[in-house]
Amino acid sequence: MAAKEHSFDITAKIDMQAFKDAINLVDKEVANRYDFKGTPYEVSYKEKEKALVLVASSDNKLEALYDIVISKLLKRDLSSKVLEEAKVENASGNTRKATYKVVDYIDSKEAKKIVAEIKNLKLKVTATIEGDAIRIKSKQIDDLQKVMKTIRSMEWEAPLVYENMR
């Protein structure tokens, strides 16, 4: 009887419910902060555009707002890499506006780098890019765990998620 093949996927999917919960909590925290009393600010998630827009009265307030967003994301086990700064610009009423792209995919260049790193490990595994996921297969579950540990220990642009281990 042939040994069973095991596999897992590397993706950059985001738990959108956790993401939205985190964004909602930002509003509650900012409303209670003395440093934001009487100053205009806005936190809005634009689902269709996959963008988060922050508006505040100054660059310092914008940074403070961003830090609050990141702390709320981290509390929900979401990576700070789910947000990629797209642009910061002047907005109406003397405010500053920052737009962040919500990253929930691994770009193809990075996917190819990840696959190359896996091949460099010289383990008996196959790594295949399938859409926006990388599937790693092996008969040895230990080899899969070595791959996961190695890729986790490296620095990547995308917020990597390891799932469907079977």
Side-chain angles (χ1 to χ4, degrees):
M1 193 171 117
K4 198 173 144 253
E5 197 164 60
H6 303 281
S7 70
F8 75 92
D9 297 332
I10 300 175
T11 67
K13 285 188 196 124
I14 299 173
D15 176 344
M16 284 319 284
Q17 192 53 55
F19 181 82
K20 289 174 187 169
D21 290 348
I23 299 309
N24 291 336
L25 285 172
V26 170
D27 232 10
K28 283 183 184 146
E29 180 169 327
V30 174
N32 294 321
R33 280 185 47 157
Y34 70 94
D35 55 335
F36 278 93
K37 285 242 184 298
T39 64
Y41 74 90
E42 180 193 330
V43 178
S44 57
Y45 171 55
K46 306 210 177 319
E47 205 158 344
K48 272 194 178 129
E49 297 91 353
K50 285 189 177 179
L52 180 69
V53 178
L54 304 180
V55 178
S57 57
S58 68
D59 284 336
N60 286 352
K61 293 267 192 291
L62 215 47
E63 262 177 54
L65 212 47
Y66 177 75
D67 289 345
I68 296 167
V69 168
I70 295 302
S71 76
K72 299 299 178 201
L73 291 174
L74 295 174
K75 279 191 179 130
R76 289 189 162 45
D77 289 331
L78 292 168
S79 166
S80 59
K81 293 179 180 181
V82 302
L83 294 178
E84 182 182 297
E85 189 174 299
K87 63 181 176 206
V88 178
E89 59 198 338
N90 288 320
S92 61
N94 276 340
T95 57
R96 299 282 286 157
K97 174 176 157 184
T99 307
Y100 296 90
K101 199 168 73 178
V102 176
V103 179
D104 60 354
Y105 59 90
I106 304 171
D107 83 14
S108 62
K109 256 192 207 152
E110 188 160 51
K112 287 176 184 146
K113 277 189 202 159
I114 292 170
V115 169
E117 285 296 342
I118 293 168
K119 286 187 173 137
N120 289 341
L121 295 173
K122 308 263 188 270
L123 298 168
K124 287 186 179 172
V125 298
T126 56
T128 329
I129 298 171
E130 295 180 5
D132 52 9
I134 302 167
R135 167 132 322 145
I136 293 85
K137 293 180 187 165
S138 174
K139 285 184 170 50
Q140 298 296 320
I141 208 148
D142 290 355
D143 285 349
L144 289 180
Q145 286 166 338
K146 283 176 196 159
V147 166
M148 198 182 290
K149 187 177 179 208
T150 303
I151 298 303
R152 264 204 177 113
S153 72
M154 300 169 109
E155 204 44 55
W156 301 102
E157 292 295 315
L160 300 182
V161 178
Y162 304 87
E163 57 187 17
N164 302 328
M165 179 66 118
R166 44 180 177 269

